[in-house]
Amino acid sequence: MKLQSLSRLSLMQLIRAFFFRFDNLASPPDLQALIALIQGQLGTLDRGAQGGLSTYACSSSLLFSETGPAMLAEKAQREAIDLDVLFKRLSLSGLGESRYLTLARCQYYLRTLETIPINQSHSILSEICKKEVFTTPLDENRLVGHGVLEIIIDRSKGSVIHTDWRNAILAIAGDPRVPKSAENYQRWWSLLGEERVALMRGWLSRFDLKLFLSILEQSAKDSGERDMERMFAPRKKFMEGLLEEGVIVESRLFLSTYATRYLKQRYKKEDLPAYARVRSSRTSMIYLNIKNKVYLVEGSHSFPIKIFNKLAPESRLPNYNIDEVTDEQLRNGEMERFHRAYGLNGCLSQTHRDLIWQNSVLQFMKSNGVLIRAAKVIRQESYRAYKEKFGSD
């Protein structure tokens, strides 16, 4: 039976509905039927027809398909054509707000992310961080942001993630080191798998340490106290050495009002990791979980370094449901909770007398199954004095 032809106006309206609604228009079987109808109608056009319908007819198999948006993105990338130029060639320019073109653009972003040089700045990163992009539904179960996060994390695996790539993850999904009931965790991280969460935690530990050391350095300069400035370099070397040895599996920042203000002057809010607030104008701390065997707390402003072989049952250090603490709760409270639960052994609080505190911490870690060579955490100019005082590694 001969297909009854629609008027050109009716056919154009049907095609516009297809582009604007696309996979929201009908169930897959109905969408397939609609595609067949459009392709059949385009096949009845006169060969000499001009305008958009003629363009659609010539590219019917490309455009009118359930995988059309992905095919457009692939074509643009394969032929190195700007996506907007391709849209114009195919008479799609007036459909910019349509579901079909939105999906095509998102597919193009994902394909580009898969091919750009790993861990380098790229203009595509600013595009995928736009809320209207990463919250676009990709399919029934996932948003575009899920695809972006998977690609960035998987491609960065095994390397120190680039700042722009890390910031893109934070802009979309936030810090995974929050209660698992948190909205961001449920929306994003719960769907990405534990391995990707662990990778991001590791990258953020590096960032936490960088931020803490910048706070520590600035605090020493602002204080005008030579002792604080003198103590900064050994502490920096020690913590960076632990990081480079790959023994830090988790970290958490506890920031004073001074530190919070200092960081917000230098970073955009969305580029900062999660942190707990300290009800103190000056003292900030960082918690480091070392191979799940040793737990260390370092702080600014005459804060003795503290180290434990286990955490007290009610420890505030890894409890993400607690987002505010006092100076006293970390300066003395963690030690008191440990003593009540486990007695006097298995913890250490040490002031920063150079070389002595490093040796005390290294010996504590060694006795709890974490062996770190002193040469990795002691400054080169101090290592000879260290060996003379405590012997070689």
Side-chain angles (χ1 to χ4, degrees), residues 265-332:
Q265 289 171 351
R266 289 159 177 79
Y267 294 88
K268 292 188 289 187
K269 181 180 178 181
E270 60 268 26
D271 291 342
L272 287 171
Y275 57 86
R277 297 183 303 278
V278 181
R279 292 201 295 272
S280 165
S281 61
R282 306 298 278 180
T283 308
S284 295
M285 306 86 162
I286 188 169
Y287 155 69
L288 302 176
N289 174 341
I290 300 171
K291 298 188 76 170
N292 291 313
K293 295 180 178 180
V294 170
Y295 308 88
L296 184 149
V297 187
E298 178 65 292
S300 65
H301 293 85
S302 304
F303 187 98
I305 191 168
K306 303 182 191 305
I307 190 165
F308 309 88
N309 63 6
K310 60 177 76 72
L311 292 174
E314 297 181 0
S315 173
R316 287 166 166 76
L317 297 173
N319 187 344
Y320 294 111
N321 290 307
I322 296 175
D323 60 7
E324 186 173 88
V325 298
T326 65
D327 180 320
E328 177 64 20
Q329 285 170 336
L330 295 192
R331 188 180 291 270
N332 297 310

Side-chain angles (χ1 to χ4, degrees), residues 111-306:
R111 285 179 173 273
T112 302
L113 272 180
E114 288 174 339
T115 57
I116 61 176
I118 295 175
N119 282 330
Q120 292 185 22
S121 296
H122 195 282
S123 58
I124 201 72
L125 295 169
S126 60
E127 291 297 318
I128 55 97
C129 285
K130 293 176 180 175
K131 190 173 183 179
E132 63 269 23
V133 173
F134 67 74
T135 57
T136 298
L138 196 56
D139 53 40
E140 289 183 0
N141 302 311
R142 301 193 313 152
L143 304 176
V144 168
H146 291 113
V148 169
L149 294 167
E150 288 172 359
I151 293 168
I152 291 178
I153 293 172
D154 292 352
R155 294 196 71 205
S156 300
K157 183 178 179 180
S159 65
V160 177
I161 194 169
H162 189 278
T163 299
D164 290 351
W165 289 44
R166 183 195 66 222
N167 288 347
I169 297 173
L170 289 173
I172 294 170
D175 193 323
R177 301 170 304 176
V178 294
K180 290 189 175 181
S181 58
E183 181 183 352
N184 259 14
Y185 194 95
Q186 287 294 311
R187 188 180 199 187
W188 301 106
W189 294 107
S190 66
L191 300 179
L192 295 176
E194 285 300 320
E195 183 181 2
R196 293 189 180 103
V197 172
L199 284 168
M200 186 59 176
R201 282 174 176 261
W203 291 323
L204 288 174
S205 289
R206 182 175 291 272
F207 191 29
D208 283 348
L209 196 54
K210 175 185 175 182
L211 296 177
F212 178 74
L213 289 172
S214 69
I215 293 165
L216 199 62
E217 183 176 28
Q218 191 61 45
S219 297
K221 289 177 180 177
D222 289 350
S223 72
E225 297 177 19
R226 294 192 58 129
D227 280 351
M228 279 188 69
E229 292 190 59
R230 178 179 49 80
M231 286 190 296
F232 171 72
R235 295 164 83 182
K236 180 176 187 288
K237 174 62 179 177
F238 194 91
M239 286 189 282
E240 287 182 339
L242 292 178
L243 185 66
E244 296 309 318
E245 286 295 285
V247 296
I248 298 174
V249 298
E250 183 184 15
S251 63
R252 192 181 186 197
L253 285 172
F254 296 83
L255 301 183
S256 66
T257 52
Y258 163 85
T260 302
R261 185 169 59 250
Y262 171 81
L263 292 181
K264 286 183 176 179
Q265 289 171 351
R266 289 159 177 79
Y267 294 88
K268 292 188 289 187
K269 181 180 178 181
E270 60 268 26
D271 291 342
L272 287 171
Y275 57 86
R277 297 183 303 278
V278 181
R279 292 201 295 272
S280 165
S281 61
R282 306 298 278 180
T283 308
S284 295
M285 306 86 162
I286 188 169
Y287 155 69
L288 302 176
N289 174 341
I290 300 171
K291 298 188 76 170
N292 291 313
K293 295 180 178 180
V294 170
Y295 308 88
L296 184 149
V297 187
E298 178 65 292
S300 65
H301 293 85
S302 304
F303 187 98
I305 191 168
K306 303 182 191 305

Side-chain angles (χ1 to χ4, degrees), residues 42 45 47 49 52-64 90:
L42 288 171
L45 290 177
R47 291 196 175 186
L53 286 177
S54 175
T55 305
Y56 297 154
C58 292
S59 303
S60 178
S61 60
L62 170 67
L63 295 175
F64 301 102
L90 296 172

Side-chain angles (χ1 to χ4, degrees), residues 10-38:
S10 296
L11 179 54
M12 184 60 84
Q13 289 175 333
L14 184 63
I15 289 173
R16 284 182 64 83
F18 169 81
F19 284 132
F20 269 91
R21 300 288 300 281
F22 190 52
D23 55 349
N24 294 326
L25 187 64
S27 62
D30 291 337
L31 184 60
Q32 291 167 8
L34 177 59
I35 289 170
L37 173 61
I38 291 173

Side-chain angles (χ1 to χ4, degrees), residues 48-90:
Q50 300 293 317
L53 286 177
S54 175
T55 305
Y56 297 154
C58 292
S59 303
S60 178
S61 60
L62 170 67
L63 295 175
F64 301 102
S65 163
E66 291 176 273
T67 59
M71 291 167 65
L72 275 185
E74 191 274 334
K75 179 179 176 66
Q77 192 174 57
R78 184 181 68 250
E79 299 179 9
I81 308 169
D82 183 86
L83 200 57
D84 289 320
V85 171
L86 182 60
F87 289 164
K88 187 174 181 180
R89 285 184 191 175
L90 296 172

